[in-house]
Amino acid sequence: MTEPTQRNRLAEEESPYLRQHADNPVNWQPWDERALEAAEERDVPIFLSIGYSACHWCHVMADESFADEEVAELLNENFVPIKVDREERPDVDSIYMTVCQLVSGQGGWPLSAWLTPEGKPFYVGTYFPKEAKRGQPGFLDILEQLANSWEQDREEVENRAQQWTDAVKDRLEETPDSVAAAEPPSSEVLETAADAALRSADRQHGGFGSGGPKFPQPSRLHVLARAYDRTGRSAYLEVLEESLDAMAAGGLYDHVGGGFHRYCVDRDWTVPHFEKMLYDNAEIPRAFLAGYQLTGEERYAEVIEETLEFVDRELTHDEGGFFATLDAQSEDPETGEHEEGAFYVWTPAEVAAVLEDETSAELFCARYDITESGNFEGANQPNRVTSVSTLADEFDLAADEIERRLESARERLAEARERRPRPNRDEKVLAGWNGLMIATCAEAALVLGEDEYAEMGVGALEFVRDRLWNEDEQRLSRRYKDVSEQRSEGRETGSHGGDVKVDGYLEDYAFLARGALGCYEATGDVDHLAFALDLARTIEAEFWDAERGTLYFTPESGESLVTRPQELNDQSTPSATGVAAEMLLALDGFADDEEFETIASTVLETHANRIEANALQHASLCLAADRLEAGALEITVAADELPDEWRDRFAEEYHPDRLFALRPPTQEGLEDWLRQLGLEEAPAIWAGREARDGEPTLYVCRDRTCSPPTHDVEDALEWVGDNGEPRDSSETTLDESESPF
């Protein structure tokens, strides 16, 4: 057989990111046994390049270096070049990104790492230009220097590699030898995190940090929302509203087509990096749902609705699953050049040409700051800067006429934009990211009262379950990708003809279980609850280490890397450990014979010192600690379905630890459910809670204290108010006149 490193093997892969590099002269390898064995056999270092399909600087480095014959010759001769899609292999990315952050104090993509044949890192960085410039070393120079060091200073290189491996192992894998805290963090850690969020808040421009780039940080927003609900402290709500308003008004949001970009490059949220990620368009709207419930502001509901419409239109598989990303760049059909943001930006002349009506064009440009000077390379990323009331005064038109014209203009511009070259779409379906989006759809259905969102979430849940869940082995795979008939010839594919790859990680199980539980709450279909319980049981079997008292990110039966990482911090997505802990607490009430609460409590106990030392970096774990101490607000409904009136009434109030637990109205019906769940006895959340008087009946409980059964939702809410320590609704909020909405 031909030595695998003598050719570029990425054409055999289904990851769109890897396939983008299949024509490079670099003999790229995927991360697999053949490539790793080749490095050992050749006794040369590995050059590891990690990125993702929507990454702008990944494209730049590919064009400058990886398409270059001189670079390719150096790489192919002296290294085994391996390309990794970070979205498929977050475990590999986590390890080497942590090394980069430890060594350089920063990270990002593309991630460039040089490893020994055993996978131990000895040099790391991010983007490198081909030739040295502006203080950055050149990629060619680095390759030559490292090849020489490997030949001439091998012992020093290997010593450094071992030191760095020990450091990353200590950071990602190790747990305290003894748990100094005798118990998990108290709910006070929630206020500690919220206070830290206040200190880091940008009170002038919204969000967090005193400069750019600006990231959305939805986990911090959930901390603020829950802390406000617990304490009634107005500053928490003010910062939450300031952040939501800034993100919705600025360039982070796509005002023409809906949905959120990845982040903004500046402090005032004007210019985004234009890629759109599924996880952002799941997690940011969840924060807006919290803001909507706390304030009742319809502008937040509009953002949620428009974002879900975008996801349904542009990121949804025909059969229900959600795709991963939209690229930042579009290809110019005349030049073949890829231009960042070209699909999204406008000039005044372009707006006028589409709208034709001069007044409507002027209104749109004034509303969204479309100017001749531009804010991005001579064009404009729309930012909502002028309120409707101000426009009404300036144009001497009624406010409702302004809004009608603006909505008509937006629709026409969206239609015109569809004729532009579209950004590429990464059509991977990732289990974990789908779980995030499914949970948001389910919550939106409950809060906004729109059944179509529940249908959207259930469609994706069934898609993922059908393609990525192995019922017999109780195992979840991470990624599904459609494969054409031509590409499927001679290769193993799933039952739907698609390519399934990578064992699921903790985030896949935890995020998807949260989504499945949400679908049960929104629809009352016990099958979704059964799936959530199956996922939770596999978390216990594959990711829980009772001796170390922690949940690891990779399955015990999975591939062995230089370290077995944990994911405790919130990053682009919420902490897998934090979500798993909170999800296990929620599911514990449905499976009294399981150890779910014990696992969650022990994980929080194990990491208590770390959480308390830096609460804001562990926002999801703080939310789990709060839920553990406060207990869930269990809303058991004995009925064939959740009455719309009850759903709508509960939706009007913010209950972050609410758990809707529909059960059949009769004992006979409940026994059918128990058989589906494999339970011999009814869990406490359902036991003895039949419908009374032949009518739908409510039972509301918190921390093993329950209301009397009632047919009146107002009685139930009154009990919640008396027993749930509600916030003081008289606290002040932001002055609406300050908002560009």
Side-chain angles (χ1 to χ4, degrees):
M1 178 179 287
T2 304
E3 162 62 49
T5 61
Q6 291 180 4
R7 63 186 179 88
N8 185 321
R9 294 170 53 213
L10 298 189
E12 302 162 17
E13 297 296 308
E14 288 302 325
S15 158
Y17 175 65
L18 299 188
R19 290 180 60 79
Q20 286 171 1
H21 296 80
D23 294 329
N24 291 164
V26 176
N27 289 340
W28 289 116
Q29 309 294 300
W31 181 282
D32 64 8
E33 288 186 11
R34 293 180 65 192
L36 300 176
E37 288 172 358
E40 291 189 356
E41 291 171 4
R42 290 177 54 191
D43 194 31
V44 296
I46 294 166
F47 168 63
L48 176 64
S49 177
I50 303 178
Y52 58 103
S53 65
C55 167
H56 171 67
W57 287 102
C58 299
H59 296 317
V60 173
M61 192 166 179
D63 292 341
E64 290 180 348
S65 293
F66 302 147
D68 183 85
E69 295 286 349
E70 184 180 9
V71 169
E73 184 178 354
L74 269 174
L75 273 173
N76 296 339
E77 182 176 343
N78 299 291
F79 305 91
V80 170
I82 295 180
K83 178 65 75 172
V84 164
D85 182 339
R86 77 172 183 95
E87 296 169 356
E88 285 192 350
R89 293 300 304 260
D91 54 340
V92 175
D93 179 58
S94 174
I95 291 169
Y96 297 108
M97 183 61 72
T98 300
V99 173
C100 187
Q101 292 166 339
L102 287 171
V103 171
S104 67
Q106 60 187 8
W109 296 277
L111 178 65
S112 303
W114 285 261
L115 324 175
T116 68
E118 297 77 29
K120 299 177 181 180
F122 62 87
Y123 194 87
V124 289
T126 54
Y127 160 78
F128 293 106
K130 179 186 173 185
E131 309 284 354
K133 62 180 179 181
R134 293 193 294 273
Q136 280 187 292
F139 191 59
L140 276 173
D141 293 338
I142 292 171
L143 292 176
E144 290 177 348
Q145 292 166 9
L146 294 180
N148 289 334
S149 295
W150 184 255
E151 291 296 326
Q152 300 172 14
D153 301 306
R154 178 75 170 265
E155 184 176 357
E156 180 181 342
V157 169
E158 291 186 335
N159 286 339
R160 183 194 314 154
Q162 188 61 54
Q163 291 172 2
W164 288 9
T165 299
D166 291 342
V168 74
K169 189 179 182 73
D170 183 63
R171 173 64 64 90
L172 291 179
E173 181 173 349
E174 299 301 324
T175 58
D177 292 332
S178 62
V179 180
E183 56 188 23
S186 72
S187 60
E188 292 178 2
V189 77
L190 180 69
E191 288 183 58
T192 301
D195 289 342
L198 291 185
R199 291 192 296 272
S200 66
D202 183 344
R203 300 305 300 269
Q204 181 178 356
H205 296 288
F208 304 95
S210 58
K214 275 283 182 66
F215 289 86
Q217 310 273 20
S219 294
R220 297 186 180 190
L221 301 180
H222 285 294
V223 164
L224 289 168
R226 198 178 299 188
Y228 170 67
D229 182 67
R230 296 282 188 253
T231 68
R233 185 179 174 189
S234 60
Y236 296 150
L237 184 60
E238 289 169 4
V239 170
L240 173 65
E241 288 192 90
E242 288 166 1
S243 298
L244 294 177
D245 287 345
M247 290 191 293
L252 187 77
Y253 189 66
D254 180 356
H255 296 280
V256 173
F260 289 90
H261 299 289
R262 178 68 194 93
Y263 64 92
C264 284
V265 302
D266 42 43
R267 179 185 176 188
D268 59 3
W269 301 95
T270 299
V271 177
H273 254 310
F274 289 90
E275 62 262 42
K276 287 183 173 180
M277 319 296 289
L278 178 62
Y279 57 75
D280 286 320
N281 286 284
E283 287 298 286
I284 298 174
R286 268 204 343 119
F288 274 81
L289 283 165
Y292 174 66
Q293 286 188 294
L294 286 170
T295 67
E297 294 293 348
E298 286 298 323
R299 64 181 185 266
Y300 296 152
E302 291 172 6
V303 168
I304 298 160
E305 291 162 355
E306 290 172 2
T307 301
L308 293 181
E309 288 173 10
F310 152 72
V311 171
D312 188 43
R313 184 181 67 246
E314 299 189 39
L315 285 179
T316 301
H317 190 286
D318 289 342
E319 297 180 36
F322 299 121
F323 297 129
T325 65
L326 289 180
D327 208 328
Q329 299 180 335
S330 301
E331 183 176 349
D332 187 313
E334 295 182 2
T335 67
E337 296 291 325
H338 287 81
E339 301 179 23
E340 184 183 7
F343 184 72
Y344 299 102
V345 297
W346 299 88
T347 64
E350 289 171 334
V351 171
V354 171
L355 300 183
E356 297 176 346
D357 175 66
E358 183 177 349
T359 300
S360 293
E362 290 178 356
L363 274 171
F364 187 88
C365 289
R367 173 74 157 156
Y368 293 103
D369 199 28
I370 310 298
T371 65
E372 293 293 343
S373 57
N375 59 33
F376 180 76
E377 298 181 358
N380 299 267
Q381 166 68 3
N383 281 243
R384 185 186 288 137
V385 297
T386 308
S387 69
V388 169
S389 60
T390 300
L391 291 173
D393 291 340
E394 291 180 357
F395 286 80
D396 194 24
L397 292 170
D400 58 353
E401 174 65 9
I402 296 286
E403 291 176 348
R404 186 193 66 78
R405 285 174 174 264
L406 287 172
E407 179 57 21
S408 175
R410 188 197 66 77
E411 291 175 356
R412 293 174 65 185
L413 290 167
E415 291 175 4
R417 199 174 74 172
E418 286 299 307
R419 295 190 287 273
R420 294 176 173 180
R422 293 191 57 82
N424 288 331
R425 182 169 66 187
D426 186 326
E427 296 189 348
K428 295 192 305 287
V429 176
L430 299 172
W433 293 13
N434 270 252
L436 295 177
M437 193 70 237
I438 292 164
T440 295
C441 290
E443 186 67 11
L446 287 167
V447 173
L448 302 180
E450 296 291 344
D451 291 339
E452 65 185 271
Y453 299 144
E455 294 169 3
M456 185 174 164
V458 168
L461 182 67
E462 292 177 345
F463 181 99
V464 172
R465 185 174 181 177
D466 198 31
R467 289 158 175 79
L468 293 174
W469 176 245
N470 186 316
E471 186 77 35
D472 294 333
E473 298 180 6
Q474 297 284 286
R475 291 293 183 270
L476 182 68
S477 295
R478 176 166 175 80
R479 189 269 282 157
Y480 171 87
K481 177 72 169 58
D482 279 340
V483 179
S484 67
E485 291 185 14
Q486 180 180 2
R487 286 184 53 74
S488 66
E489 292 180 6
R491 61 188 300 173
E492 183 177 349
T493 58
S495 60
H496 293 270
D499 187 64
V500 174
K501 189 172 183 179
V502 188
D503 293 336
Y505 301 103
L506 179 61
E507 73 170 35
D508 295 301
Y509 286 87
F511 295 173
L512 193 60
R514 185 171 75 175
L517 179 60
C519 287
Y520 159 66
E521 291 188 82
T523 68
D525 187 339
V526 71
D527 192 47
H528 304 320
L529 174 61
F531 186 37
L533 288 167
D534 284 344
L535 291 165
R537 292 179 182 118
T538 305
I539 288 176
E540 180 177 1
E542 280 287 334
F543 300 91
W544 166 238
D545 186 324
E547 183 178 345
R548 307 298 291 271
T550 197
L551 289 164
Y552 283 103
F553 187 75
T554 55
E556 185 178 13
S557 60
E559 179 183 353
S560 178
L561 302 172
V562 293
T563 187
R564 189 182 182 194
Q566 302 168 83
E567 187 180 81
L568 305 176
N569 292 11
D570 290 84
Q571 301 179 62
S572 300
T573 54
S575 157
T577 308
V579 172
E582 192 164 11
M583 182 272 305
L584 289 170
L585 290 171
L587 288 172
D588 187 72
F590 294 101
D592 286 347
D593 60 334
E594 305 289 354
E595 296 294 320
F596 295 161
E597 182 174 332
T598 299
I599 293 171
S601 176
T602 304
V603 167
L604 291 166
E605 180 179 320
T606 298
H607 299 293
N609 289 340
R610 181 182 293 200
I611 297 167
E612 290 167 348
N614 196 338
L616 193 57
Q617 293 298 317
H618 302 88
S620 291
L621 283 164
C622 290
L623 295 172
D626 176 73
R627 186 176 189 128
L628 176 64
E629 182 165 309
L633 177 63
E634 298 173 352
I635 305 169
T636 302
V637 179
D640 291 319
E641 60 183 3
L642 178 65
D644 290 345
E645 178 191 354
W646 294 4
R647 177 191 65 187
D648 296 345
R649 188 64 185 86
F650 273 104
E652 292 174 5
E653 300 189 7
Y654 175 73
H655 299 294
D657 46 17
R658 176 219 69 223
L659 181 60
F660 278 121
L662 184 75
R663 53 148 288 172
T666 65
Q667 182 62 27
E668 182 180 6
L670 182 60
E671 288 173 358
D672 290 339
W673 277 29
L674 297 180
R675 282 191 288 272
Q676 289 186 59
L677 295 174
L679 299 177
E680 295 182 2
E681 297 181 357
I685 199 168
W686 287 336
R689 297 179 182 175
E690 294 87 4
R692 302 292 180 93
D693 306 319
E695 297 182 35
T697 305
L698 267 171
Y699 300 79
V700 182
C701 301
R702 184 189 289 280
D703 198 20
R704 296 176 175 82
T705 302
C706 299
S707 72
T710 181
H711 307 305
D712 189 334
V713 69
E714 297 302 331
D715 288 345
L717 285 166
E718 183 178 353
W719 184 91
V720 172
D722 290 341
N723 293 273
E725 299 181 6
R727 65 184 182 278
D728 181 354
S729 61
S730 65
E731 292 283 356
T732 58
T733 58
L734 292 179
D735 181 352
E736 288 188 13
S737 65
E738 298 175 6
S739 169
F741 288 90

